[in-house]
Amino acid sequence: MSDLQTPLRPKRKKDWVDYLVHFRWMVVIFVVLPISFTIYFLIYLGDVKSAMKSEKRRQKEHEENVKKVVNRLKQRDPKKDGLVCTARKPYIAVGMRNVDYKRARHFEVDLSAFRNILEIDKERMIAKVEPLVNMGQITRATVPMNLALAVVAELDDLTVGGLINGYGIEGSSHIYGLFSDTVVAFEVVLGDGRVVRATKDNEYSDLFYGIPWSQGTLGLLVSAEIKLIPIKEYMRLTYTPVRGNLKELSQAYADSFAPRDGDPSKVPDFVEGMIYTPTEGVMMTGRYASKEEAKKKGNVINSVGWWFKPWFYQHAQKALKKGEFVEYIPTRDYYHRHTRCLYWEGKLILPFGDQWWFRWFFGWSMPPKVSLLKATQGEAIRNYYHDKHVIQDLLVPLYKVGDALEYVHQEMEVYPIWLCPHRLFKLPVKTMVYPEPGFELHYRQGDTSYAQMFTDIGVYYAPAAVLRVEEFNGAEAVHQLEEWLIHNHGFQPQYAVSELTEKNFWRMFDGAHYEHCRRKYRAIGTFMSVYYKSKKGKKTEKEVQEAEAAILEPAYAEEA
């Protein structure tokens, strides 16, 4: 079994913020949950209203709203009005990062109307949607048609625009890649007001490859055409318990979806792993199944989407006691299996939220809206979470998962841990995230000639040292983690709290193509750069202006 040792840390004294965090559930119960439920209900009514409109009317409204954006951009005086950003409130972004870039003088563009599904094209197998369409909305529309996006991110609230400009993954990403890899066209309003459609093979192909991970700093996304796939009514899910040290758990995880003999028939439609302790985990593999198969005598159907059901990660953990088992889950329920409890973060937010009595009587009010949690936490609690909480996704090559798990255990000791594989494709241009050079020459497990297999390691919870009331330096732990990622060709999604300096940011990400697009499409001087937009802490106007001025003049001089 594991012989890993975690560092001994001295005890610390609790202060008043510890007690605020401990009793924060009161604010969640009496303020956040009721308002969240009301907002979710109003959003649902808006989705229903949108679905009742004809495609022709939705497209007409879309064109009118695009014109409003263009006209708004043309009103901007670059010398007086500051950098362009959306009018969305900073706390609405999903994630723990301080979104403080709007403290600098900025020019707001309202994109709040862009939340319609414009078209479901069954012949082309394409869904054309606006950027504020969320995962819950689109699965409600597509699943009854036995269709789905190739990659459906787990949380209902995640939007198409956020998943494209930022980062999106699901259990099907070992086949289709990240969410942005499933997009076939972007409609973008550039800083000068031009509206362009970028695809991988038209005149804006460089912009097509530049938009993912750019955080909206190359232009304003107003629609996307995304790949659809045929699905069935149920997911046949197999829960397999595994035991051993972390290296052995990581190998069992790789074997669950990447057969060593390369037989494609053994590759599941969906896969994820959960590591519960340094010596125990459960691997889940799913295949689409018809209603007829699911309802055969002897098969177990589990509608995990009901509000009173056990939280999914706790349900999966039962495999450690009962052994391997199989059940059939309605496909839409499966897609959103982590929504109600926000993976396992719900246990910290509401310590009794997983109890049977709460689930039965109040489970319908879950989950709390992340934006409301952020809006009601205050500066002291927000800083506490930055220092004593971990919300990180680590993207690492599959063959380095064991090393990464050991590193996280030694430096953070956070459990459970989520594992989800994804292909990182070898593209015609070198984008911000890219496979290891020469990966195709090694033929490691899961790799192909056109893509390297990576894994998202989701580290979401309070470190064990914090739970034991010991000293823990969150900023230093994240800083060291980022150094580890840089040295191991790993990446960190920009929604997370980051300690990266600008120099280290561009050590982790490749900026050549991104900067090419910034220059060519006149984003410099119009949009904040991706580093400053995702940088932790406050961004003063002076800091932003100096950073932009340092590259603005030489960038345009090169073009001339």
Side-chain angles (χ1 to χ4, degrees):
M1 295 299 176
S2 176
D3 58 355
L4 295 175
Q5 297 294 320
T6 54
L8 295 174
R9 295 182 169 93
K11 290 286 185 179
R12 67 177 180 88
K13 291 183 178 180
K14 286 188 176 183
D15 58 25
W16 63 276
V17 183
D18 288 284
Y19 294 100
L20 280 180
V21 171
H22 182 75
F23 292 104
R24 182 159 160 66
W25 61 267
M26 295 182 182
V27 176
V28 175
I29 285 285
F30 296 109
V31 178
V32 176
L33 281 182
I35 298 176
S36 293
F37 181 78
T38 303
I39 292 174
Y40 283 129
F41 182 67
L42 292 175
I43 289 173
Y44 171 74
L45 292 180
D47 295 345
V48 171
K49 182 179 179 182
S50 173
M52 293 173 65
K53 300 174 185 175
S54 66
E55 284 187 359
K56 185 176 180 180
R57 182 180 173 188
R58 276 178 270 165
Q59 183 60 42
K60 183 179 179 182
E61 289 180 358
H62 173 74
E63 292 168 359
E64 291 172 351
N65 288 327
V66 170
K67 288 179 182 177
K68 291 178 183 178
V69 172
V70 171
N71 291 335
R72 173 66 176 159
L73 286 172
K74 289 181 178 178
Q75 295 171 6
R76 173 177 173 260
D77 183 343
K79 295 181 180 179
K80 297 180 180 179
D81 292 329
L83 298 174
V84 173
C85 65
T86 67
R88 185 180 66 172
K89 298 298 181 185
Y91 59 80
I92 291 179
V94 176
M96 293 297 292
R97 172 172 54 87
N98 283 343
V99 186
D100 286 336
Y101 59 88
K102 292 184 180 181
R103 291 176 186 264
R105 182 166 50 97
H106 57 277
F107 183 81
E108 291 187 346
V109 179
D110 187 2
L111 300 181
S112 60
F114 290 88
R115 55 181 321 272
N116 293 311
I117 298 172
L118 300 176
E119 182 183 14
I120 303 293
D121 190 331
K122 296 180 183 179
E123 291 185 7
R124 293 175 58 221
M125 291 296 282
I126 295 295
K128 185 177 181 181
V129 300
E130 293 180 322
L132 293 185
V133 169
N134 64 38
M135 294 296 100
Q137 180 183 358
I138 200 162
T139 55
R140 273 196 299 271
T142 59
V143 169
M145 303 178 191
N146 279 359
L147 296 173
L149 300 183
V151 174
V152 182
E154 288 91 346
L155 303 183
D156 286 25
D157 246 6
L158 297 174
T159 63
V160 167
L163 295 168
I164 288 172
N165 281 298
Y167 165 72
I169 192 173
E170 230 286 30
S172 59
S173 290
H174 65 297
I175 299 172
Y176 300 105
L178 298 176
F179 188 89
S180 56
D181 292 316
T182 68
V183 180
V184 298
F186 301 109
E187 184 184 12
V188 181
V189 181
L190 301 177
D192 59 7
R194 283 183 295 155
V195 182
V196 302
R197 180 176 180 269
T199 70
K200 65 180 180 181
D201 51 14
N202 72 359
E203 61 184 304
Y204 300 105
S205 61
D206 53 356
L207 183 62
F208 177 84
Y209 289 115
I211 285 175
W213 293 77
S214 69
Q215 295 288 323
T217 60
L218 296 178
L220 299 174
L221 180 70
V222 290
S223 76
E225 297 167 45
I226 310 171
K227 182 189 299 182
L228 289 168
I229 60 170
I231 64 170
K232 297 179 181 179
E233 295 88 349
Y234 285 84
M235 186 66 66
R236 182 185 186 276
L237 196 63
T238 302
Y239 302 80
T240 304
V242 294
R243 289 179 171 85
N245 59 38
L246 289 173
K247 287 286 181 69
E248 291 167 339
L249 296 184
S250 67
Q251 185 58 60
Y253 160 71
D255 291 341
S256 71
F257 68 91
R260 299 192 198 191
D261 61 6
D263 184 354
S265 66
K266 297 178 182 177
V267 178
D269 295 322
F270 274 77
V271 63
E272 70 177 327
M274 285 188 258
I275 308 297
Y276 291 95
T277 72
T279 59
E280 295 178 316
V282 176
M283 306 305 152
M284 286 148 282
T285 53
R287 293 182 182 274
Y288 287 113
S290 66
K291 184 190 302 182
E292 292 72 25
E293 177 186 341
K295 294 190 174 181
K296 284 182 180 178
K297 187 176 180 180
N299 288 341
V300 176
I301 293 177
N302 183 10
S303 300
V304 300
W306 286 105
W307 74 88
F308 52 81
K309 287 283 187 173
W311 288 358
F312 184 77
Y313 81 96
Q314 294 176 343
H315 171 67
Q317 193 174 10
K318 293 175 183 176
L320 293 172
K321 289 185 177 181
K322 66 187 293 188
E324 182 174 290
F325 66 96
V326 176
E327 62 186 15
Y328 290 79
I329 300 176
T331 298
R332 188 167 186 270
D333 285 7
Y334 177 76
Y335 286 154
H336 302 297
R337 62 200 178 278
H338 293 299
T339 289
R340 194 153 35 91
C341 55
L342 300 174
Y343 289 89
W344 29 89
E345 283 287 310
K347 185 67 175 173
L348 284 178
I349 297 166
L350 286 174
F352 45 79
D354 58 341
Q355 299 300 303
W356 68 268
W357 57 269
F358 183 88
R359 289 188 279 106
W360 270 99
F361 294 107
F362 303 104
W364 50 268
S365 65
M366 292 287 283
K369 204 162 177 59
V370 175
S371 58
L372 279 175
L373 289 172
K374 293 170 68 176
T376 57
Q377 66 188 9
E379 189 76 16
I381 294 179
R382 181 166 66 169
N383 290 334
Y384 178 94
Y385 282 137
H386 282 182
D387 294 336
K388 296 179 175 60
H389 197 90
V390 179
I391 297 284
Q392 296 285 338
D393 283 276
L394 326 178
L395 278 59
V396 301
L398 177 61
Y399 73 94
K400 292 186 177 181
V401 169
D403 294 336
L405 290 176
E406 289 186 342
Y407 181 88
V408 170
H409 176 84
Q410 290 171 330
E411 300 299 324
M412 295 181 171
E413 199 179 353
V414 171
Y415 292 96
I417 290 175
W418 187 60
L419 301 177
C420 185
H422 68 92
R423 276 179 168 158
L424 196 54
F425 292 100
K426 186 178 181 181
L427 300 174
V429 298
K430 192 176 183 182
T431 55
M432 286 181 66
V433 296
Y434 55 96
E436 291 179 300
F439 75 90
E440 65 275 17
L441 304 177
H442 296 284
Y443 292 100
R444 293 188 179 97
Q445 188 174 4
D447 292 354
T448 64
S449 60
Y450 55 87
Q452 184 177 12
M453 192 64 73
F454 269 59
T455 284
D456 180 320
I457 302 176
V459 187
Y460 326 123
Y461 211 62
V466 173
L467 298 177
R468 294 191 296 258
V469 198
E470 297 172 355
E471 293 289 347
F472 181 80
N473 188 328
E476 182 59 25
V478 170
H479 173 71
Q480 294 299 328
L481 174 65
E482 290 165 342
E483 281 291 332
W484 189 94
L485 286 172
I486 290 169
H487 288 296
N488 288 274
H489 197 86
F491 303 98
Q492 174 194 50
Q494 296 140 349
Y495 83 87
V497 177
S498 172
E499 299 294 332
L500 289 169
T501 63
E502 188 168 12
K503 179 181 178 181
N504 283 341
F505 184 89
W506 294 118
R507 287 174 64 208
M508 180 179 289
F509 301 102
D510 191 279
H513 184 74
Y514 170 75
E515 289 300 336
H516 157 79
C517 291
R518 292 263 295 166
R519 294 183 178 96
K520 180 176 177 180
Y521 295 104
R522 298 280 175 169
I524 299 173
T526 303
F527 300 99
M528 184 178 291
S529 76
V530 66
Y531 169 71
Y532 280 92
K533 189 169 183 180
S534 57
K535 178 176 177 281
K536 175 185 172 182
K538 299 178 181 179
K539 288 81 172 172
T540 65
E541 183 175 345
K542 181 180 179 182
E543 179 185 36
V544 172
Q545 287 179 337
E546 288 177 350
E548 292 294 315
I551 55 176
L552 179 60
E553 186 175 340
Y556 290 150
E558 288 174 20
E559 271 193 26

